Amino acid sequence: MSADLIAGIRRDRLAAFAAREAETYIKARPKAAKALKDGAGTFLGGVPMHWMADWPMPHLPLVAKAHGARIADIDGQTLDDFCLGDTGSMFGHSPAPVARAIRAQARRGLTYMLPTEAALTAGRLLTDRFGPFRWQIATTATDANRFALRVARAITGRPRVLVFNGCYHGTLDDTFVSLENGRTVNTPGLLGQVNDLTQTAVACEFNDLAGVEAALAQGDVAAILTEPVMTNSCMVLPEAGFHDGLRQLSLKYGALLIMDETHTISSGLGGYTRVHSLRPDIFVVGKCVAGGMPTAVWGLTEGTAQRYHQADAKREPGRTGMGTTLSANPMQFACLVATLSEVMTPESYAHMEKLAERLSHGLAKIIDRHQAPWHVVRVGARVEFICAPGPLKNGTQAGFAHQPQVEAAIHTGLINRGTLIAPFHNMMLISPATKKTQVDRLISSFDTILSDLFQAA
């Protein structure tokens, strides 16, 4: 590809577009700019959580309110929200049953480190939705993955976890390894990491069963920790037979299989695992499982639970190193019950998938019409446009497909036309509250932007 092009776009045209869109954005949000200048200095780096600095627009908006699939800022700008808290609000902002549950529980107390009747109901509903696991409640999926991995190591007596190059499992230290010339290395850019993570983790490429088998054959892998679909950069789908192969290899070599569904809960009712009849030993899901209340769940199959109890009975007295004080609090259970029984329903998913298919098809048609060397991927209610040819096979290819300059310009351009998508990748989610008109508006804006970017010289 010519050095004058980036993702098929002339660099000068991209730069001019990005400059125009940045100026438009700034003019529309003077109140936020002033408020941030006056008040953000109390935060490290000017943001309350450092990921917020990674949004690509010129400065952050300040949200005034959000409801359903709409979000409004203090400057009076309203957006169709397809980011939805990067999955945290996948079922919409403040679903009515969840809001009612929060109000009711707030009158009864926020946390007391003891269970409620709602906890028992939540356990039954989790099993109904996701399968017959023995459940534990955490606050984030990072914690849930960390605890699940501790259990796998206790059961097997092995030190390593096998993860896939380019994976995402929250901020679990063990997973921050990458492949470099076929070798597992600490992922570049880690802040304050003093441990050699390659002592406890090995990286393989997604869709590479031969590589997985070679790693498992060393005999030191306690668990394979994987997403059903790679989702953190440019989405990578599993090839036919990949998940069956993983299951068979895990059984052959005595490693547990942990399925992290935190992003792929978009796949359908019960997540990718239930939709595609996968058979993990440990199941993890977080983010939207309680309608936006910070909550994650992890569960063991009956056989895995029995092995856990055996390992637990043999350990010396003392702290397990698992669990946090605010996990399994009554507010989480109230929101879990509301979400699982009234929000996460077959009807919701039918609506979400219908509109996601409309969005996916519409974006793909525009890409084809403009002859852009891009492609579109969909997993249930989750849609991504990727600024490179596809399909992608593994994390290495996904890394090369990522085009930050192009994605940042398009992101700001979409905001200026009334649509918000995820900032860290070109991800769009459909919620039960999303309307057909919002999808069509996004498709139309995408067409306008590509018409500008790919306009003939």
Side-chain angles (χ1 to χ4, degrees), residues 230-242:
M230 293 195 71
T231 61
N232 194 47
S233 179
C234 298
M235 197 153 61
V236 180
L237 300 177
E239 294 179 341
F242 177 66

Side-chain angles (χ1 to χ4, degrees), residues 348-424:
S348 290
Y349 272 104
H351 172 85
M352 293 157 69
E353 292 188 43
K354 181 180 179 180
L355 288 187
E357 175 60 26
R358 183 180 184 88
L359 176 58
S360 176
H361 181 69
L363 296 178
K365 281 183 65 176
I366 290 165
I367 287 170
D368 289 344
R369 186 164 70 249
H370 291 286
Q371 299 182 328
W374 302 2
H375 71 288
V376 176
V377 183
R378 179 171 81 90
V379 175
R382 182 187 182 102
V383 179
E384 294 184 16
F385 64 86
I386 296 173
C387 303
L392 304 175
K393 183 176 181 178
N394 55 44
T396 295
Q397 292 182 4
F400 284 123
H402 189 42
Q403 298 289 350
Q405 289 176 268
V406 176
E407 293 157 8
I410 293 174
H411 189 279
T412 304
L414 286 172
I415 289 176
N416 289 338
R417 290 160 180 81
T419 295
L420 183 71
I421 68 173
F424 311 119

Side-chain angles (χ1 to χ4, degrees), residues 21 38 58 81 117 134 141 175 212-213 246 262-263 380 394 441:
E21 297 301 325
D38 293 344
D81 189 5
E117 286 186 301
R134 296 292 177 260
T175 64
V212 170
E213 181 158 25
L246 274 187
T262 298
H263 283 167
N394 55 44
R441 191 154 46 232

Side-chain angles (χ1 to χ4, degrees), residues 4 36 77 92 99 101 114 128 161 173 184 191 204 267 288-289 334 408 412 432:
D4 294 331
L36 288 166
Q77 304 294 331
L114 289 167
D128 290 345
V161 58
D173 277 0
T184 300
L191 183 65
C204 295
S267 303
C288 64
V289 71
T412 304

Side-chain angles (χ1 to χ4, degrees), residues 13 66 179 186 204 224 252 392:
R13 187 174 297 281
L179 278 178
N186 279 21
C204 295
I224 301 167
K252 178 179 179 180
L392 304 175

Side-chain angles (χ1 to χ4, degrees), residues 136-361:
Q136 287 283 276
I137 310 299
T139 303
T140 70
T142 293
D143 279 344
N145 281 317
R146 180 157 53 90
F147 303 151
L149 185 53
R150 290 284 295 277
V151 167
R153 285 170 169 153
I155 287 173
T156 63
R158 298 174 180 178
R160 276 200 165 97
V161 58
L162 187 155
V163 295
F164 292 102
N165 187 37
C167 68
Y168 182 70
H169 301 288
T171 53
L172 176 62
D173 277 0
D174 307 69
T175 64
F176 283 95
V177 292
S178 306
L179 278 178
E180 188 176 287
N181 299 319
R183 293 176 53 251
T184 300
V185 298
N186 279 21
T187 298
L190 294 177
L191 183 65
Q193 180 55 257
V194 298
N195 295 324
D196 179 4
L197 300 178
T198 67
Q199 297 300 304
T200 54
V202 58
C204 295
E205 290 286 16
F206 200 70
N207 286 318
D208 179 11
L209 290 174
V212 170
E213 181 158 25
L216 293 178
Q218 301 301 309
D220 58 357
V221 172
I224 301 167
L225 174 57
T226 185
E227 306 165 88
V229 176
M230 293 195 71
T231 61
N232 194 47
S233 179
C234 298
M235 197 153 61
V236 180
L237 300 177
E239 294 179 341
F242 177 66
H243 281 302
D244 285 342
L246 274 187
R247 176 71 277 187
Q248 293 307 313
L249 288 174
S250 69
L251 293 171
K252 178 179 179 180
Y253 291 99
L256 297 182
L257 181 59
I258 307 173
M259 202 63 64
D260 181 357
E261 288 261 22
T262 298
H263 283 167
T264 54
I265 193 173
S266 66
S267 303
L269 193 65
Y272 197 100
T273 292
R274 198 149 217 189
V275 170
H276 295 274
S277 301
L278 305 187
R279 295 178 293 121
D281 299 296
I282 305 178
F283 177 90
V284 173
V285 66
K287 289 199 176 180
C288 64
V289 71
M293 176 62 59
T295 305
V297 301
W298 57 287
L300 314 180
T301 62
E302 182 61 39
T304 307
Q306 290 178 6
R307 295 178 68 187
Y308 160 75
H309 288 305
Q310 291 168 4
D312 187 50
K314 294 176 182 177
R315 69 181 178 87
E316 295 181 4
R319 297 170 59 189
T320 63
M322 301 187 338
T324 59
T325 303
L326 294 179
S327 294
N329 68 66
M331 189 63 80
Q332 288 177 310
F333 287 121
C335 293
L336 273 169
V337 170
T339 302
L340 295 169
S341 62
E342 299 182 68
V343 178
M344 190 188 295
T345 64
E347 295 77 15
S348 290
Y349 272 104
H351 172 85
M352 293 157 69
E353 292 188 43
K354 181 180 179 180
L355 288 187
E357 175 60 26
R358 183 180 184 88
L359 176 58
S360 176
H361 181 69

